[in-house]
Amino acid sequence: MTSRISVALKRLFAKHRIVFWYDDKQELRADYESLELENIEKIEIDNNEFSIKHRLLRGAPKTNFLLYKEGNQPEPLNNWLYDVELANVTFRTDQVAIWLSELELPSEFSELIESHTAFFEPQGKEQDALSEAESRKQTLKGLLEPDDTLSRARLKMLAISVGLKQKGDTRLDVILELLMADMAVGKLYSFIERCNLQQFLWQQVTNSYGYQTDSPSVKDFVLELFKFCYLAELSTGLQGTRIGSDASQKHNMTNNALVFFKRWKDSRAHQRTFEWLSEQCSNFMDIESDLQHRSLREVLDLDYFSVIDRKVIHELVHGVAERTLSQGEVALWCRQRRHGHWYSEYRLLYSAVDVASQFFALLDVVKLDMPSATQAVHRYTSQWFKLDQLYRQYVYALKVSSQHTLLCILTEQIENLYVNSFVQPLTNAWQHHVDAMGSWQVADVAPQNKFFENYVVGQYLAKKKKVCVIISDAFRYEAGEEMVSRIRQEDRYEASLNHALSAMPSYTQLGMASLLPQSKDYPLQLADNKTGTVLMGGLSTQGKDSRNKILKTIHGERASAVLAKDLIEMNQANTRELVKANDVLYVYHNRIDHTGDKMQSEGEAFEAAEKTFDDLTKLVKKLTNGNASNILITADHGFIYQNSTLDESDYLAKDIEGDILYNDRRFVLGKGLSCGKSLKVFSSNELGVSGDVHAVVPKGIQRLRLSGSGSRFVHGGASLQEVIVPVISINKKRSSDTKMVDVDVLRSGSSVITSGQISVTLYQAEAVTDKTHARTLRLGIYAESGTLISDSHTVELDLTSEHPREREMKLRFLLNQEADSANNEEVILKLVEPVIGTNQFQDYKQLRYTIRRSFTSDFDF
């Protein structure tokens, strides 16, 4: 005991000259007598108060004194040394006094220790319990500040009780977030009750958020918080739910509660807690029943429950299917939901609805007239391809989301319209021009067998420039158009799109051979056997090795072929060596055709197309990192695909006579072939190949039966989707060529804030394009001290409209309780943006306001 007393006394003498010690229980005389303190004079009080007082004040006014009295402290009227005692300090030896001393707290804080002794006591006799108690005490000592009040000290004890240790975390909102995260277990709140801090906790919650009840609990607070925040945005109370008749369902919580709720909802650290509690509260409040009485527009701004997104999507699906919502409304609302908490979970469904709306709107205005074959190709590549693209995007979203039941009404319409109102009439109209062809060619449209001459040589080799050619099997034109946009969004990459007419029949062997350098000495020839392979001057063109041999034979040793998967696995040094050693490098990629040509996986063709975008981007970056500056991407052929099962009428009888060599779903190769009216024969001369093997293809989009083969993904025929292939030219620039959109704040009139909320309008100065990217901003209102005094919003400025008024975004900020201390002062609306690759933010723009609120603005009428 003596050592602890010695340490405590030294701490007191560091701040005071005179220390009084009353030994109430008369059991510490031995400790007093054995105590040795340097430069401190010990005096026992024993009816000698007057002489002591003279000694203290006159005899030795600079000496330190320890005044010991065996017995109780005298009453003030009987205490001759009371004035001296008040001017100095009293040393107590009970446990509370020792804790006060260890925390270096004055005696006024005795109440704090006495009321919450369990905070300082170990929760058992084990060493861990002792260590935890000592840790709590030391943490509290580190957090306490000289000007702390009892209330502030209790708040710090609350923070430590839930495991917080940093000064910046001793806030009620942080404490509540941890209590809500622990709600299922309840361990933290049990300890708060053990420490007798629960009454203080709920008083603070009442003061800050307006939550008030006779029996407060964390669970009840969470439920009331969700209920209040949900109803705060609506004009009526809960409708048609189990608690809809509760007259007090709109409780008088404050804006501060709404600010706290939104911050907690958007916190990454508490995301799982919010989502779990949201589901619990949604079920208890029966939000699904309430939403049945709400309109779509009424809940568009809410994201507190997952069921709200399901409601919005359900309404959008039926609005699009029934044509009661315009394409502009659907696009706007889907974009608006991007900022919601649950968007990532429902992203594909919003995409499906948005794409379906675009599909219907475009199909309504499309006219499939084509005066000539050239005009047909031009209109397909400038407009009609978009319907193929939207169809692919819809089916992809449908399949990956797996929400077939929810989307079935849209799916049935899109399937029917795509096949019967677009693909079939388009192909039938195009077939008239195909039937009139004397040879397989279209005026002013480059044939595929001119690819090497027109692009590889004409665009690059003739100018002494190297070029890499990526050939992606079945990468059709509509996907190529999307690929160009994706490439252009990359910094320092420029890309342009052209097109070519694929070889006929539009199948892999002939398309791949047509893309190789052509020579009169090595004419294209369909093999006179049952393999369907293509020869060039007797050399096989099947496979990478054969094509590599032809490249070197016709062009020379500085031309090579490589598989995409082998290139991806190369390290940078090997990639650079490969690029350095070749003027022409062909890279063969095969994901779409590999997937679609198999009966078991043909339904995954559009998922394969999505993965192909990623593959091609990786290949482009791999090549440019290997010092390639010029890249071409093209395909051997396209394809037609429908997601629904084909009817019997979608198949043609094989009305073909002659020596059949090779059968496929969209073409037949052979000699001396003749056919019925539903098929068309192309001679070898009309196909532009040598030899006497020619081809038969179906007219329109019908398939030929082929045992063991799929029927939804097919190619080989003459439809525009099969024969128009993309030619993408990519160039890597040396300097950056992308930027982010500029954003301004449109101040609505006054710069004075007179209520508990303020609305601002963001204006996106320009439309988002491939090279002008969206900007993500986080906005909030801050006091001069840097304290956030409102809720915050994270928004993505990604509007693509060319109309300025359609690039405005309205936001509403709710002031929290801390805004009261900034009344009649300037505050700052800060716009900050994330630093790429970090969790940090940097300033973007600021706008100043002055808060000038009367006390009546605090009332939420």
Side-chain angles (χ1 to χ4, degrees), residues 569-596:
E569 292 173 0
M570 287 185 186
N571 59 34
Q572 189 177 52
N574 290 342
T575 305
R576 288 182 174 178
E577 283 299 317
L578 181 65
V579 172
K580 182 180 179 181
N582 290 281
D583 296 328
V584 180
L585 179 65
Y586 269 45
V587 181
Y588 290 101
H589 174 266
N590 184 11
R591 184 186 290 275
I592 298 173
D593 202 59
H594 180 73
T595 302

PDB file of all heavy atoms in Angstrom, residues 569-596:
ATOM      1  N   GLU A 569       0.048 -14.993 -71.650  1.00  0.00           N
ATOM      2  CA  GLU A 569       0.930 -15.622 -70.659  1.00  0.00           C
ATOM      3  C   GLU A 569       2.380 -15.171 -70.772  1.00  0.00           C
ATOM      4  O   GLU A 569       3.185 -15.450 -69.886  1.00  0.00           O
ATOM      5  CB  GLU A 569       0.849 -17.145 -70.798  1.00  0.00           C
ATOM      6  CG  GLU A 569      -0.510 -17.715 -70.399  1.00  0.00           C
ATOM      7  CD  GLU A 569      -0.650 -19.194 -70.706  1.00  0.00           C
ATOM      8  OE1 GLU A 569       0.331 -19.782 -71.233  1.00  0.00           O
ATOM      9  OE2 GLU A 569      -1.723 -19.764 -70.425  1.00  0.00           O
ATOM     10  N   MET A 570       2.735 -14.463 -71.840  1.00  0.00           N
ATOM     11  CA  MET A 570       4.112 -13.987 -72.003  1.00  0.00           C
ATOM     12  C   MET A 570       4.435 -12.878 -71.008  1.00  0.00           C
ATOM     13  O   MET A 570       3.580 -12.062 -70.665  1.00  0.00           O
ATOM     14  CB  MET A 570       4.328 -13.441 -73.423  1.00  0.00           C
ATOM     15  CG  MET A 570       4.396 -14.475 -74.498  1.00  0.00           C
ATOM     16  SD  MET A 570       4.798 -13.688 -76.098  1.00  0.00           S
ATOM     17  CE  MET A 570       4.624 -15.090 -77.190  1.00  0.00           C
ATOM     18  N   ASN A 571       5.700 -12.843 -70.569  1.00  0.00           N
ATOM     19  CA  ASN A 571       6.116 -11.705 -69.768  1.00  0.00           C
ATOM     20  C   ASN A 571       6.417 -10.518 -70.688  1.00  0.00           C
ATOM     21  O   ASN A 571       6.438 -10.659 -71.921  1.00  0.00           O
ATOM     22  CB  ASN A 571       7.326 -12.052 -68.886  1.00  0.00           C
ATOM     23  CG  ASN A 571       8.528 -12.519 -69.705  1.00  0.00           C
ATOM     24  OD1 ASN A 571       8.748 -12.054 -70.826  1.00  0.00           O
ATOM     25  ND2 ASN A 571       9.319 -13.422 -69.148  1.00  0.00           N
ATOM     26  N   GLN A 572       6.664  -9.363 -70.103  1.00  0.00           N
ATOM     27  CA  GLN A 572       6.836  -8.159 -70.917  1.00  0.00           C
ATOM     28  C   GLN A 572       8.055  -8.254 -71.831  1.00  0.00           C
ATOM     29  O   GLN A 572       8.011  -7.810 -72.986  1.00  0.00           O
ATOM     30  CB  GLN A 572       6.947  -6.928 -70.013  1.00  0.00           C
ATOM     31  CG  GLN A 572       6.905  -5.620 -70.779  1.00  0.00           C
ATOM     32  CD  GLN A 572       6.945  -4.416 -69.865  1.00  0.00           C
ATOM     33  OE1 GLN A 572       7.822  -4.308 -69.019  1.00  0.00           O
ATOM     34  NE2 GLN A 572       5.989  -3.504 -70.019  1.00  0.00           N
ATOM     35  N   ALA A 573       9.131  -8.843 -71.332  1.00  0.00           N
ATOM     36  CA  ALA A 573      10.353  -8.940 -72.139  1.00  0.00           C
ATOM     37  C   ALA A 573      10.114  -9.786 -73.390  1.00  0.00           C
ATOM     38  O   ALA A 573      10.528  -9.411 -74.500  1.00  0.00           O
ATOM     39  CB  ALA A 573      11.487  -9.533 -71.302  1.00  0.00           C
ATOM     40  N   ASN A 574       9.434 -10.918 -73.213  1.00  0.00           N
ATOM     41  CA  ASN A 574       9.157 -11.786 -74.360  1.00  0.00           C
ATOM     42  C   ASN A 574       8.187 -11.142 -75.334  1.00  0.00           C
ATOM     43  O   ASN A 574       8.295 -11.317 -76.555  1.00  0.00           O
ATOM     44  CB  ASN A 574       8.609 -13.130 -73.884  1.00  0.00           C
ATOM     45  CG  ASN A 574       9.663 -13.974 -73.193  1.00  0.00           C
ATOM     46  OD1 ASN A 574      10.860 -13.733 -73.345  1.00  0.00           O
ATOM     47  ND2 ASN A 574       9.234 -14.952 -72.412  1.00  0.00           N
ATOM     48  N   THR A 575       7.219 -10.398 -74.795  1.00  0.00           N
ATOM     49  CA  THR A 575       6.275  -9.693 -75.666  1.00  0.00           C
ATOM     50  C   THR A 575       7.012  -8.669 -76.519  1.00  0.00           C
ATOM     51  O   THR A 575       6.757  -8.529 -77.724  1.00  0.00           O
ATOM     52  CB  THR A 575       5.186  -8.996 -74.831  1.00  0.00           C
ATOM     53  OG1 THR A 575       4.550  -9.955 -73.991  1.00  0.00           O
ATOM     54  CG2 THR A 575       4.139  -8.353 -75.732  1.00  0.00           C
ATOM     55  N   ARG A 576       7.915  -7.929 -75.911  1.00  0.00           N
ATOM     56  CA  ARG A 576       8.679  -6.919 -76.652  1.00  0.00           C
ATOM     57  C   ARG A 576       9.562  -7.557 -77.718  1.00  0.00           C
ATOM     58  O   ARG A 576       9.703  -7.007 -78.818  1.00  0.00           O
ATOM     59  CB  ARG A 576       9.526  -6.094 -75.677  1.00  0.00           C
ATOM     60  CG  ARG A 576       8.691  -5.140 -74.836  1.00  0.00           C
ATOM     61  CD  ARG A 576       9.534  -4.293 -73.916  1.00  0.00           C
ATOM     62  NE  ARG A 576       8.716  -3.290 -73.238  1.00  0.00           N
ATOM     63  CZ  ARG A 576       9.166  -2.424 -72.351  1.00  0.00           C
ATOM     64  NH1 ARG A 576      10.462  -2.441 -72.013  1.00  0.00           N
ATOM     65  NH2 ARG A 576       8.359  -1.544 -71.788  1.00  0.00           N
ATOM     66  N   GLU A 577      10.128  -8.697 -77.400  1.00  0.00           N
ATOM     67  CA  GLU A 577      10.954  -9.394 -78.391  1.00  0.00           C
ATOM     68  C   GLU A 577      10.110  -9.847 -79.576  1.00  0.00           C
ATOM     69  O   GLU A 577      10.530  -9.751 -80.730  1.00  0.00           O
ATOM     70  CB  GLU A 577      11.644 -10.602 -77.744  1.00  0.00           C
ATOM     71  CG  GLU A 577      12.842 -10.251 -76.880  1.00  0.00           C
ATOM     72  CD  GLU A 577      13.935  -9.552 -77.675  1.00  0.00           C
ATOM     73  OE1 GLU A 577      14.233  -9.994 -78.806  1.00  0.00           O
ATOM     74  OE2 GLU A 577      14.490  -8.547 -77.181  1.00  0.00           O
ATOM     75  N   LEU A 578       8.891 -10.337 -79.271  1.00  0.00           N
ATOM     76  CA  LEU A 578       8.002 -10.798 -80.337  1.00  0.00           C
ATOM     77  C   LEU A 578       7.600  -9.634 -81.230  1.00  0.00           C
ATOM     78  O   LEU A 578       7.614  -9.747 -82.472  1.00  0.00           O
ATOM     79  CB  LEU A 578       6.754 -11.444 -79.722  1.00  0.00           C
ATOM     80  CG  LEU A 578       5.717 -12.007 -80.700  1.00  0.00           C
ATOM     81  CD1 LEU A 578       6.306 -13.187 -81.478  1.00  0.00           C
ATOM     82  CD2 LEU A 578       4.455 -12.450 -79.944  1.00  0.00           C
ATOM     83  N   VAL A 579       7.237  -8.504 -80.642  1.00  0.00           N
ATOM     84  CA  VAL A 579       6.849  -7.332 -81.430  1.00  0.00           C
ATOM     85  C   VAL A 579       8.036  -6.807 -82.224  1.00  0.00           C
ATOM     86  O   VAL A 579       7.908  -6.438 -83.409  1.00  0.00           O
ATOM     87  CB  VAL A 579       6.273  -6.235 -80.504  1.00  0.00           C
ATOM     88  CG1 VAL A 579       6.050  -4.941 -81.281  1.00  0.00           C
ATOM     89  CG2 VAL A 579       4.971  -6.704 -79.871  1.00  0.00           C
ATOM     90  N   LYS A 580       9.185  -6.780 -81.601  1.00  0.00           N
ATOM     91  CA  LYS A 580      10.395  -6.276 -82.264  1.00  0.00           C
ATOM     92  C   LYS A 580      10.774  -7.127 -83.467  1.00  0.00           C
ATOM     93  O   LYS A 580      11.241  -6.607 -84.494  1.00  0.00           O
ATOM     94  CB  LYS A 580      11.539  -6.236 -81.257  1.00  0.00           C
ATOM     95  CG  LYS A 580      12.838  -5.687 -81.807  1.00  0.00           C
ATOM     96  CD  LYS A 580      13.923  -5.682 -80.718  1.00  0.00           C
ATOM     97  CE  LYS A 580      15.236  -5.145 -81.268  1.00  0.00           C
ATOM     98  NZ  LYS A 580      16.298  -5.160 -80.220  1.00  0.00           N
ATOM     99  N   ALA A 581      10.558  -8.437 -83.365  1.00  0.00           N
ATOM    100  CA  ALA A 581      11.001  -9.358 -84.418  1.00  0.00           C
ATOM    101  C   ALA A 581      10.058  -9.414 -85.610  1.00  0.00           C
ATOM    102  O   ALA A 581      10.380 -10.058 -86.616  1.00  0.00           O
ATOM    103  CB  ALA A 581      11.165 -10.767 -83.827  1.00  0.00           C
ATOM    104  N   ASN A 582       8.889  -8.751 -85.530  1.00  0.00           N
ATOM    105  CA  ASN A 582       7.903  -8.872 -86.597  1.00  0.00           C
ATOM    106  C   ASN A 582       7.366  -7.515 -87.033  1.00  0.00           C
ATOM    107  O   ASN A 582       7.116  -6.640 -86.212  1.00  0.00           O
ATOM    108  CB  ASN A 582       6.722  -9.739 -86.117  1.00  0.00           C
ATOM    109  CG  ASN A 582       7.105 -11.193 -85.957  1.00  0.00           C
ATOM    110  OD1 ASN A 582       7.180 -11.949 -86.922  1.00  0.00           O
ATOM    111  ND2 ASN A 582       7.354 -11.589 -84.711  1.00  0.00           N
ATOM    112  N   ASP A 583       7.197  -7.377 -88.353  1.00  0.00           N
ATOM    113  CA  ASP A 583       6.507  -6.198 -88.881  1.00  0.00           C
ATOM    114  C   ASP A 583       5.000  -6.422 -88.876  1.00  0.00           C
ATOM    115  O   ASP A 583       4.223  -5.471 -88.797  1.00  0.00           O
ATOM    116  CB  ASP A 583       6.969  -5.916 -90.319  1.00  0.00           C
ATOM    117  CG  ASP A 583       8.441  -5.548 -90.372  1.00  0.00           C
ATOM    118  OD1 ASP A 583       8.925  -4.937 -89.393  1.00  0.00           O
ATOM    119  OD2 ASP A 583       9.105  -5.886 -91.368  1.00  0.00           O
ATOM    120  N   VAL A 584       4.603  -7.697 -88.973  1.00  0.00           N
ATOM    121  CA  VAL A 584       3.186  -8.077 -88.931  1.00  0.00           C
ATOM    122  C   VAL A 584       3.039  -9.225 -87.942  1.00  0.00           C
ATOM    123  O   VAL A 584       3.726 -10.240 -88.057  1.00  0.00           O
ATOM    124  CB  VAL A 584       2.667  -8.544 -90.311  1.00  0.00           C
ATOM    125  CG1 VAL A 584       1.197  -8.937 -90.208  1.00  0.00           C
ATOM    126  CG2 VAL A 584       2.856  -7.469 -91.350  1.00  0.00           C
ATOM    127  N   LEU A 585       2.148  -9.039 -86.980  1.00  0.00           N
ATOM    128  CA  LEU A 585       1.895 -10.095 -86.008  1.00  0.00           C
ATOM    129  C   LEU A 585       0.397 -10.363 -85.969  1.00  0.00           C
ATOM    130  O   LEU A 585      -0.392  -9.471 -85.666  1.00  0.00           O
ATOM    131  CB  LEU A 585       2.391  -9.673 -84.614  1.00  0.00           C
ATOM    132  CG  LEU A 585       2.166 -10.701 -83.500  1.00  0.00           C
ATOM    133  CD1 LEU A 585       3.001 -11.962 -83.759  1.00  0.00           C
ATOM    134  CD2 LEU A 585       2.504 -10.110 -82.133  1.00  0.00           C
ATOM    135  N   TYR A 586       0.003 -11.588 -86.301  1.00  0.00           N
ATOM    136  CA  TYR A 586      -1.401 -11.993 -86.239  1.00  0.00           C
ATOM    137  C   TYR A 586      -1.643 -12.697 -84.896  1.00  0.00           C
ATOM    138  O   TYR A 586      -0.911 -13.620 -84.517  1.00  0.00           O
ATOM    139  CB  TYR A 586      -1.737 -12.949 -87.380  1.00  0.00           C
ATOM    140  CG  TYR A 586      -2.244 -12.266 -88.644  1.00  0.00           C
ATOM    141  CD1 TYR A 586      -1.604 -11.133 -89.147  1.00  0.00           C
ATOM    142  CD2 TYR A 586      -3.350 -12.757 -89.319  1.00  0.00           C
ATOM    143  CE1 TYR A 586      -2.076 -10.509 -90.297  1.00  0.00           C
ATOM    144  CE2 TYR A 586      -3.826 -12.143 -90.479  1.00  0.00           C
ATOM    145  CZ  TYR A 586      -3.176 -11.005 -90.956  1.00  0.00           C
ATOM    146  OH  TYR A 586      -3.634 -10.389 -92.092  1.00  0.00           O
ATOM    147  N   VAL A 587      -2.689 -12.248 -84.183  1.00  0.00           N
ATOM    148  CA  VAL A 587      -3.052 -12.832 -82.884  1.00  0.00           C
ATOM    149  C   VAL A 587      -4.447 -13.429 -83.020  1.00  0.00           C
ATOM    150  O   VAL A 587      -5.406 -12.719 -83.344  1.00  0.00           O
ATOM    151  CB  VAL A 587      -3.042 -11.768 -81.774  1.00  0.00           C
ATOM    152  CG1 VAL A 587      -3.394 -12.398 -80.438  1.00  0.00           C
ATOM    153  CG2 VAL A 587      -1.680 -11.065 -81.707  1.00  0.00           C
ATOM    154  N   TYR A 588      -4.560 -14.739 -82.773  1.00  0.00           N
ATOM    155  CA  TYR A 588      -5.838 -15.434 -82.959  1.00  0.00           C
ATOM    156  C   TYR A 588      -6.538 -15.652 -81.613  1.00  0.00           C
ATOM    157  O   TYR A 588      -5.987 -16.290 -80.709  1.00  0.00           O
ATOM    158  CB  TYR A 588      -5.619 -16.773 -83.672  1.00  0.00           C
ATOM    159  CG  TYR A 588      -5.222 -16.596 -85.119  1.00  0.00           C
ATOM    160  CD1 TYR A 588      -3.888 -16.712 -85.523  1.00  0.00           C
ATOM    161  CD2 TYR A 588      -6.180 -16.289 -86.079  1.00  0.00           C
ATOM    162  CE1 TYR A 588      -3.527 -16.530 -86.854  1.00  0.00           C
ATOM    163  CE2 TYR A 588      -5.830 -16.110 -87.413  1.00  0.00           C
ATOM    164  CZ  TYR A 588      -4.501 -16.227 -87.798  1.00  0.00           C
ATOM    165  OH  TYR A 588      -4.144 -16.041 -89.116  1.00  0.00           O
ATOM    166  N   HIS A 589      -7.745 -15.112 -81.530  1.00  0.00           N
ATOM    167  CA  HIS A 589      -8.543 -15.191 -80.302  1.00  0.00           C
ATOM    168  C   HIS A 589      -9.847 -15.913 -80.611  1.00  0.00           C
ATOM    169  O   HIS A 589     -10.491 -15.649 -81.622  1.00  0.00           O
ATOM    170  CB  HIS A 589      -8.842 -13.775 -79.786  1.00  0.00           C
ATOM    171  CG  HIS A 589      -9.773 -13.741 -78.617  1.00  0.00           C
ATOM    172  ND1 HIS A 589     -11.145 -13.579 -78.752  1.00  0.00           N
ATOM    173  CD2 HIS A 589      -9.544 -13.840 -77.282  1.00  0.00           C
ATOM    174  CE1 HIS A 589     -11.700 -13.575 -77.551  1.00  0.00           C
ATOM    175  NE2 HIS A 589     -10.759 -13.729 -76.655  1.00  0.00           N
ATOM    176  N   ASN A 590     -10.260 -16.810 -79.730  1.00  0.00           N
ATOM    177  CA  ASN A 590     -11.459 -17.598 -80.012  1.00  0.00           C
ATOM    178  C   ASN A 590     -12.220 -17.886 -78.717  1.00  0.00           C
ATOM    179  O   ASN A 590     -11.900 -18.821 -78.008  1.00  0.00           O
ATOM    180  CB  ASN A 590     -11.091 -18.915 -80.699  1.00  0.00           C
ATOM    181  CG  ASN A 590     -12.323 -19.722 -81.107  1.00  0.00           C
ATOM    182  OD1 ASN A 590     -13.445 -19.220 -81.066  1.00  0.00           O
ATOM    183  ND2 ASN A 590     -12.116 -20.968 -81.485  1.00  0.00           N
ATOM    184  N   ARG A 591     -13.174 -17.052 -78.401  1.00  0.00           N
ATOM    185  CA  ARG A 591     -14.026 -17.323 -77.245  1.00  0.00           C
ATOM    186  C   ARG A 591     -15.502 -17.434 -77.657  1.00  0.00           C
ATOM    187  O   ARG A 591     -16.199 -18.355 -77.258  1.00  0.00           O
ATOM    188  CB  ARG A 591     -13.865 -16.245 -76.162  1.00  0.00           C
ATOM    189  CG  ARG A 591     -14.671 -16.581 -74.907  1.00  0.00           C
ATOM    190  CD  ARG A 591     -14.633 -15.464 -73.886  1.00  0.00           C
ATOM    191  NE  ARG A 591     -13.363 -15.289 -73.248  1.00  0.00           N
ATOM    192  CZ  ARG A 591     -12.945 -15.974 -72.182  1.00  0.00           C
ATOM    193  NH1 ARG A 591     -13.713 -16.938 -71.673  1.00  0.00           N
ATOM    194  NH2 ARG A 591     -11.772 -15.717 -71.635  1.00  0.00           N
ATOM    195  N   ILE A 592     -15.968 -16.482 -78.482  1.00  0.00           N
ATOM    196  CA  ILE A 592     -17.393 -16.469 -78.849  1.00  0.00           C
ATOM    197  C   ILE A 592     -17.749 -17.692 -79.681  1.00  0.00           C
ATOM    198  O   ILE A 592     -18.707 -18.421 -79.381  1.00  0.00           O
ATOM    199  CB  ILE A 592     -17.744 -15.174 -79.609  1.00  0.00           C
ATOM    200  CG1 ILE A 592     -17.495 -13.949 -78.730  1.00  0.00           C
ATOM    201  CG2 ILE A 592     -19.207 -15.204 -80.045  1.00  0.00           C
ATOM    202  CD1 ILE A 592     -17.646 -12.626 -79.447  1.00  0.00           C
ATOM    203  N   ASP A 593     -16.993 -17.943 -80.751  1.00  0.00           N
ATOM    204  CA  ASP A 593     -17.300 -19.072 -81.625  1.00  0.00           C
ATOM    205  C   ASP A 593     -17.101 -20.401 -80.900  1.00  0.00           C
ATOM    206  O   ASP A 593     -17.871 -21.341 -81.071  1.00  0.00           O
ATOM    207  CB  ASP A 593     -16.406 -19.022 -82.872  1.00  0.00           C
ATOM    208  CG  ASP A 593     -17.017 -19.796 -84.030  1.00  0.00           C
ATOM    209  OD1 ASP A 593     -18.138 -19.460 -84.437  1.00  0.00           O
ATOM    210  OD2 ASP A 593     -16.373 -20.749 -84.516  1.00  0.00           O
ATOM    211  N   HIS A 594     -16.065 -20.451 -80.051  1.00  0.00           N
ATOM    212  CA  HIS A 594     -15.788 -21.665 -79.290  1.00  0.00           C
ATOM    213  C   HIS A 594     -16.963 -22.007 -78.377  1.00  0.00           C
ATOM    214  O   HIS A 594     -17.304 -23.183 -78.191  1.00  0.00           O
ATOM    215  CB  HIS A 594     -14.521 -21.464 -78.455  1.00  0.00           C
ATOM    216  CG  HIS A 594     -14.149 -22.652 -77.625  1.00  0.00           C
ATOM    217  ND1 HIS A 594     -13.613 -23.802 -78.150  1.00  0.00           N
ATOM    218  CD2 HIS A 594     -14.260 -22.869 -76.280  1.00  0.00           C
ATOM    219  CE1 HIS A 594     -13.395 -24.674 -77.191  1.00  0.00           C
ATOM    220  NE2 HIS A 594     -13.777 -24.134 -76.036  1.00  0.00           N
ATOM    221  N   THR A 595     -17.596 -20.972 -77.830  1.00  0.00           N
ATOM    222  CA  THR A 595     -18.750 -21.168 -76.941  1.00  0.00           C
ATOM    223  C   THR A 595     -20.024 -21.446 -77.736  1.00  0.00           C
ATOM    224  O   THR A 595     -20.770 -22.389 -77.446  1.00  0.00           O
ATOM    225  CB  THR A 595     -18.956 -19.922 -76.055  1.00  0.00           C
ATOM    226  OG1 THR A 595     -17.764 -19.673 -75.307  1.00  0.00           O
ATOM    227  CG2 THR A 595     -20.141 -20.104 -75.118  1.00  0.00           C
ATOM    228  N   GLY A 596     -20.291 -20.631 -78.762  1.00  0.00           N
ATOM    229  CA  GLY A 596     -21.550 -20.717 -79.491  1.00  0.00           C
ATOM    230  C   GLY A 596     -21.685 -21.928 -80.379  1.00  0.00           C
ATOM    231  O   GLY A 596     -22.808 -22.386 -80.645  1.00  0.00           O
TER     232      GLY A 596
END
